C-alpha cells in the first residue's frame, strides 16, 4: 500500500472527492487556454488516490465498482474534462495490464503507477474505430525468436510524449494481433508533436511512431491471437465511460444555464427540460452499469452526444456575447462538446447524430 493512502478518496461520497474536484475546476479554464499538459492535476490524482480506483487490491488498489467509477467521473468531468479524459486513458491502460494475467509484470508496474511516478496510456484506436479502412495495418509486428519487432504508428495516443508505458496493439502478417505494455524508453519509440485540437489540446494527444522497436515477450499482455482486444477487457461497464463524460460535460453547461435562469424567466423552461433529460440519462447509465437493460449502451451514447451538444450551445446562447470570448467557460464547453462526435464513436452513433442534425426522424 502507498504511504500516503490516508488521503485517498474512498468512495464517490467521500468529501475528499469534492475537495479534489474543486481544485480541478479552479484551474480548468487555464488548462484549455494554455494547452499545457496538466502535470499538477495528475499529481493530485496520485495524492487523492484516483489511480487506485482502477486497480484491484492485489496490486495495491481499491478496485472500485463500475458504478462508483461512473459516479466519480460525473463529478470529475464536470470540473475538468481534460484531466478526466486523461484519466480514462490511464485506466484503460492500467486495467488491461492488471487483467492480462501476467502477474509478474503487473506487480512490477503497479507501485509506480499508483504513486504517480510513472504514467501509462493507451493507443489502440487503430484496432477499433480508427484506420480500420486501410488495407495495411498501421502498426505491424513480426516475431524474431523471443522478441517482437514493431514498425508503424499508433495514430491517437493521449499523453504519448509524457508516458512511461504505452499499452498498444500491433498486427502480424497472418492477421493475428498482439497487445503489449511497451516501455516508452525503448529505442525506436518516438511521440510526434501533439495535435492542436478544437478542444482538449492539453491532453497532448497525437501520433506515436515505432521504428524497428524490439519488444521482449515479457511485455506482452495478450496474443498473438485474432481480435486481441476481446481477450482483455478494460472495464465491465460496456463502454459507458464516454457517455458518462459527455453527461458530465453537459452538466457543466447546464450549471451555466441554470445560473442565468435564476434572473431570466425566459430561460427557466428550457433549463428545466434539459435538466430533466440529463437526470433521466444519468439513471439509465447507472442502470446499465448495474447490468439492467432500460436501454442499450449505444442508445445511451446517442442520447449523451445529443445532450452535450445541445446543452453546451444553450449555455453559450444564455451567456450571450461574453460566452463567445475564448476565455469564457461556455465557449470552452462548446469546443469540448464536439469531442464526443469523434471520440470512440461507432458508426451507428455517428449516423444517429447526423440524422438528428439534419432534422431526420430517428
Amino acid at each position: 500500500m502507498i504511504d500516503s493512502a490516508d488521503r485517498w478518496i474512498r468512495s464517490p461520497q467521500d468529501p475528499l472527492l469534492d475537495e479534489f474536484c474543486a481544485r480541478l475546476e479552479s484551474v480548468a479554464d487555464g488548462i484549455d487556454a494554455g494547452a499545457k499538459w496538466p502535470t499538477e492535476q495528475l499529481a493530485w490524482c496520485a495524492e487523492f488516490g484516483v489511480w487506485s480506483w482502477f486497480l484491484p487490491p492485489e496490486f495495491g488498489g481499491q478496485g472500485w465498482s463500475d458504478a462508483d467509477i461512473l459516479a466519480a467521473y460525473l463529478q470529475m468531468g464536470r470540473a475538468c474534462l481534460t484531466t478526466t479524459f486523461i484519466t480514462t486513458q490511464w485506466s484503460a491502460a492500467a486495467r488491461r495490464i492488471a487483467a492480462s494475467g501476467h502477474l509478474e509484470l503487473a506487480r512490477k508496474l503497479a507501485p509506480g503507477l499508483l504513486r504517480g511516478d510513472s504514467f501509462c496510456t493507451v493507443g489502440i484506436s487503430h484496432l477499433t474505430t480508427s484506420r480500420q479502412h486501410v488495407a495495411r495495418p498501421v502498426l505491424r509486428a513480426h516475431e524474431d525468436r523471443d522478441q517482437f519487432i514493431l514498425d508503424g504508428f499508433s495514430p491517437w495516443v493521449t499523453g504519448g510524449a509524457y508516458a512511461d508505458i504505452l499499452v498498444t496493439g500491433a498486427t502480424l502478417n497472418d492477421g493475428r494481433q498482439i497487445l503489449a505494455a511497451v516501455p516508452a524508453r525503448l529505442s525506436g519509440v518516438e511521440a510526434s508533436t501533439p495535435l492542436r485540437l478544437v478542444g482538449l489540446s492539453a491532453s497532448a494527444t497525437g501520433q506515436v511512431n515505432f521504428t524497428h522497436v524490439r519488444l521482449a515477450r515479457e511485455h506482452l499482455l495478450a496474443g498473438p491471437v485474432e481480435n486481441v482486444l476481446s481477450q482483455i477487457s478494460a472495464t465491465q461497464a460496456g463502454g459507458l465511460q464516454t457517455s458518462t463524460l459527455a453527461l458530465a460535460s453537459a452538466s457543466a453547461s447546464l450549471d451555466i444555464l441554470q445560473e442565468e435562469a435564476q434572473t431570466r424567466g425566459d430561460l427557466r423552461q428550457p433549463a428545466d427540460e434539459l435538466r430533466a433529460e440529463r437526470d433521466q440519462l444519468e439513471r439509465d447509465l447507472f442502470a446499465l452499469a448495474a447490468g439492467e437493460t432500460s436501454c442499450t449502451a449505444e442508445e445511451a451514447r446517442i442520447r449523451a452526444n445529443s445532450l452535450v451538444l445541445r446543452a453546451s450551445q444553450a449555455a453559450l446562447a444564455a451567456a450571450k456575447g461574453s460566452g463567445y470570448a475564448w476565455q469564457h467557460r461556455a465557449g470552452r464547453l462548446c469546443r469540448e462538446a464536439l469531442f464526443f462526435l469523434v471520440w470512440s464513436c461507432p458508426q451507428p452513433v455517428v449516423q444517429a447524430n447526423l440524422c438528428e442534425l439534419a432534422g431526420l426522424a430517428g
Side-chain angles (χ1 to χ4, degrees), residues 96-348:
R96 285 185 168 89
I97 292 170
S100 69
H102 289 227
L103 296 180
E104 184 177 351
L105 178 62
R107 287 171 178 154
K108 176 182 177 181
L109 296 177
L113 293 174
L114 288 170
R115 288 192 303 268
D117 294 341
S118 61
F119 177 78
C120 66
T121 191
V122 65
I124 56 172
S125 66
H126 55 287
L127 300 180
T128 55
T129 58
S130 177
R131 308 282 173 162
Q132 289 296 288
H133 59 284
V134 298
R136 189 185 189 208
V138 297
L139 184 52
R140 303 167 299 282
H142 74 265
E143 292 186 76
D144 182 21
R145 295 187 296 275
D146 60 344
Q147 295 180 324
F148 288 91
I149 299 177
L150 308 182
D151 281 289
F153 64 92
S154 182
W156 296 102
V157 181
T158 293
Y162 301 91
D164 301 285
I165 304 157
L166 299 163
V167 172
T168 191
T171 305
L172 280 70
N173 288 337
D174 60 7
R176 292 180 301 159
Q177 299 170 333
I178 61 170
L179 189 73
V182 181
R185 68 179 183 278
L186 288 181
S187 176
V189 178
E190 183 179 8
S192 299
T193 301
L195 298 169
R196 181 70 179 183
L197 304 173
V198 173
L200 294 102
S201 285
S203 68
T205 297
Q207 182 171 301
V208 174
N209 303 303
F210 298 80
T211 305
H212 212 65
V213 175
R214 290 190 169 272
L215 182 74
R217 284 185 178 272
E218 65 190 68
H219 299 293
L220 209 63
L221 300 177
V225 293
E226 294 183 2
N227 192 18
V228 71
L229 293 183
S230 66
Q231 305 297 307
I232 304 176
S233 176
T235 175
Q236 291 73 48
L240 298 181
Q241 66 177 12
T242 313
S243 298
T244 303
L245 265 61
L247 184 61
S249 181
S251 299
S253 292
L254 292 178
D255 289 341
I256 296 173
L257 185 60
Q258 201 74 47
E259 290 170 9
E260 295 289 342
Q262 290 178 3
T263 55
R264 295 167 56 189
D266 59 313
L267 296 179
R268 289 172 190 164
Q269 183 177 0
D272 290 344
E273 290 292 330
L274 287 168
R275 181 71 65 179
E277 183 179 346
R278 193 217 79 91
D279 292 346
Q280 182 59 56
L281 180 55
E282 180 178 315
R283 289 191 289 270
D284 289 340
L285 286 175
F286 278 105
L288 284 168
E292 301 170 11
T293 56
S294 58
C295 66
T296 67
E298 183 177 286
E299 289 168 344
R301 178 65 192 278
I302 291 168
R303 290 162 56 196
N305 274 20
S306 174
L307 179 61
V308 71
L309 291 168
R310 290 181 287 115
S312 63
Q313 291 178 53
L316 180 63
K320 297 185 176 181
S322 61
Y324 199 61
W326 182 267
Q327 69 272 18
H328 196 283
R329 187 162 50 119
R332 170 173 63 83
L333 291 169
C334 280
R335 294 192 301 276
E336 291 177 349
L338 297 174
F339 180 53
F340 296 98
L341 291 175
V342 298
W343 177 31
S344 298
C345 205
Q347 189 56 39

